[in-house]
Amino acid sequence: MGKKRKTPGINGSSSADIAFMLLIFFLITTSMDTDKGLARRLPPPVPKDQKNDTDVDIKKRNLLVVLINSNNQILCGDQFVDIKQLKDKIKDFIDNPFNDEHKPERVEVDVPFFGKQMVTKNHVISLQNDRGTEYQAYINVQNEIAAAYNELRNDVSKKKFGKVFADLDEEQQKAVQQIYPQKISEAEPKNYGGKK
Amino acid sequence: MGKFSKAGGREMPELNTSSLPDLVFAFLFFIMMVTSMREVTLKVEFHAPQATELQKLEKKSLVTFIYVGKPTRDLRAKMGSETRIQLNDAFAEVSEIQDYIAQEKSSMKEEDQPFMTVSIKADKETRMGVITDVKQALREAYALKISYSAAQRVD
């Protein structure tokens, strides 16, 4: 009875490891919720004293109008298309593999790594939408356009460098971008809202 | 020379590591606090649209968020169910965006300002009219790098 038994001290050396594990877990999870999205660049604002009708003339063959109406239906060129067909249509338009005279003209451009290339550098995809278009429909179209560009770029990167576009170094990416320049124009909102 | 002989086999005194867990825990709590403090309380209902061709937003400090959506359920009695814009912690009008962007821009380092990105976090059922207004306001404010926030589509 009288003899006090000593409890052996608990070995606490592993609690540091446990704490470290927690720490690393939190570090990873907090950096994982980084925002993802479709990156775009807006055109700079039109000076107020300048009228809009100074728009650059674009040859009809170089222009592809993608229109989304308020019922989320898509008009590509002058045809009604489904969202699933849109990517191939756009790819066909950007690439113009058979030099169709209704598709963008191919201009010879000197590209590093590739040499002389026929590039449809004057093409423009004009994206127009209605005020009533649903955001998801708009994102779908933006996504398909991005997908079309990405696929074309990946194809050419794989053929030349054996890697996908994202894995190329900066110089190579620039060269590929020169072959398939991304040209999406979002129309100035027309007479919406009653301003001006 | 006996004075310096190591014959005694003097051992290195063991480092006391009993305070290490406390240090790490303190660090851990610090990080937990900081990460939860950056979040704004959402006042609009927001379901991201889905897409596949996503790019990660780099450098969080350069990103400004604009939320667009319908007010959350408990705010709906006060604010109505029209689509609203939220900047930081408050509802705002389109006309306030320009000031907000200018303010955010001036709080950045000067060399970072051209890389400022605005992430538009809009609900997928928003009408494009509001988004177009926001985009026009951003153009006016010279915040030209934007990102349409979206979730990865799984199918």
Side-chain angles (χ1 to χ4, degrees):
Chain A
M1 264 295 272
K3 199 180 175 193
K4 244 191 197 167
R5 232 192 266 170
K6 246 198 211 163
T7 39
I10 299 167
N11 188 0
S13 60
S14 60
S15 71
D17 301 85
I18 294 166
F20 261 120
M21 285 238 265
L22 267 175
L23 178 68
I24 287 161
F25 169 75
F26 269 99
L27 280 175
I28 288 171
T29 48
T30 47
S31 63
M32 242 164 63
D33 73 326
T34 43
D35 203 42
K36 282 182 177 177
L38 297 165
R40 284 287 173 277
R41 216 182 160 80
L42 295 172
V46 188
K48 284 222 169 65
D49 50 346
Q50 186 190 323
K51 288 240 173 78
N52 267 352
D53 53 22
T54 48
D55 277 0
V56 213
D57 269 332
I58 299 164
K59 275 191 203 158
K60 207 179 168 200
R61 60 180 288 193
N62 286 332
L63 184 71
L64 180 73
V65 178
V66 180
L67 186 82
I68 323 168
N69 74 0
S70 54
N71 295 325
N72 305 332
Q73 291 161 321
I74 302 158
L75 189 76
C76 177
D78 43 16
Q79 281 169 290
F80 171 72
V81 292
D82 192 65
I83 186 77
K84 291 187 187 94
Q85 304 165 295
L86 186 62
K87 185 170 73 185
D88 288 329
K89 277 215 121 172
I90 291 170
K91 270 175 82 170
D92 205 39
F93 171 79
I94 301 165
D95 204 22
N96 189 11
F98 306 115
N99 223 346
D100 189 336
E101 58 179 74
H102 297 296
K103 300 221 172 89
E105 56 198 346
R106 292 157 74 90
V107 186
E108 199 178 71
V109 173
D110 204 7
V111 187
F113 300 109
F114 291 90
K116 292 228 184 322
Q117 286 279 329
M118 297 302 273
V119 176
T120 60
K121 71 167 187 180
N122 293 324
H123 78 268
V124 172
I125 296 173
S126 167
L127 183 57
Q128 297 172 12
N129 60 268
D130 192 87
R131 275 192 86 85
T133 309
E134 218 168 74
Y135 188 51
Q136 175 71 62
Y138 175 75
I139 289 292
N140 282 344
V141 171
Q142 283 273 17
N143 190 49
E144 291 307 308
I145 296 175
Y149 277 108
N150 285 350
E151 274 183 29
L152 286 171
R153 284 178 180 174
N154 277 343
D155 281 352
V156 77
S157 314
K158 265 189 200 145
K159 217 182 275 170
K160 180 82 183 174
F161 304 110
K163 282 188 269 187
V164 289
F165 178 69
D167 293 340
L168 300 180
D169 65 42
E170 212 169 304
E171 297 275 299
Q172 292 168 331
Q173 281 194 349
K174 261 200 192 129
V176 176
Q177 273 170 1
Q178 233 177 326
I179 295 178
Y180 293 119
Q182 186 162 325
K183 291 205 174 154
I184 307 170
S185 139
E186 294 190 52
E188 294 275 329
K190 285 172 210 142
N191 60 35
Y192 302 141
K195 260 196 278 179
K196 272 180 238 171
Chain B
M1 292 299 264
K3 218 175 186 180
F4 299 106
S5 74
K6 287 185 176 169
R10 235 197 292 172
E11 275 171 42
M12 175 96 154
E14 233 174 275
L15 201 65
N16 186 3
T17 56
S18 60
S19 60
L20 185 64
D22 300 271
L23 281 173
V24 176
F25 265 117
F27 191 46
L28 175 69
F29 284 131
F30 169 72
I31 282 174
M32 280 166 73
M33 291 299 245
V34 168
T35 48
S36 63
M37 248 155 65
R38 267 197 68 85
E39 283 279 311
V40 286
T41 42
L42 274 181
K43 290 191 172 173
V44 292
E45 240 166 53
F46 162 66
H47 302 281
Q50 294 182 328
T52 51
E53 312 295 317
L54 296 178
Q55 283 155 296
K56 258 191 194 163
L57 275 183
E58 280 143 27
K59 289 219 179 140
K60 260 193 153 177
S61 57
L62 301 180
V63 181
T64 311
F65 295 98
I66 293 178
Y67 300 89
V68 182
K70 293 185 173 129
T72 48
R73 197 152 293 160
D74 39 333
L75 282 166
R76 215 166 275 179
K78 213 172 13 171
M79 304 301 299
S81 56
E82 270 298 294
T83 303
R84 303 296 299 252
I85 300 162
Q86 184 189 354
L87 305 171
N88 274 343
D89 268 332
F91 288 111
E93 298 296 324
V94 177
S95 52
E96 291 167 56
I97 290 178
Q98 216 167 324
D99 290 335
Y100 171 69
I101 296 295
Q103 198 188 334
E104 290 284 313
K105 215 176 203 173
S106 60
S107 68
M108 281 176 193
K109 274 187 256 162
E110 199 163 339
E111 66 263 31
D112 285 342
Q113 283 181 4
F115 302 106
M116 174 180 178
T117 309
V118 178
S119 174
I120 300 177
K121 286 177 160 270
D123 189 82
K124 59 183 171 190
E125 280 164 22
T126 314
R127 299 277 154 202
M128 277 308 291
V130 186
I131 312 277
T132 311
D133 290 342
V134 171
K135 265 162 48 184
Q136 286 302 107
L138 289 177
R139 276 179 66 185
E140 295 291 326
Y142 263 95
L144 301 180
K145 273 183 81 173
I146 59 167
S147 160
Y148 301 108
S149 178
Q152 188 72 41
R153 178 157 57 208
V154 273
D155 48 13

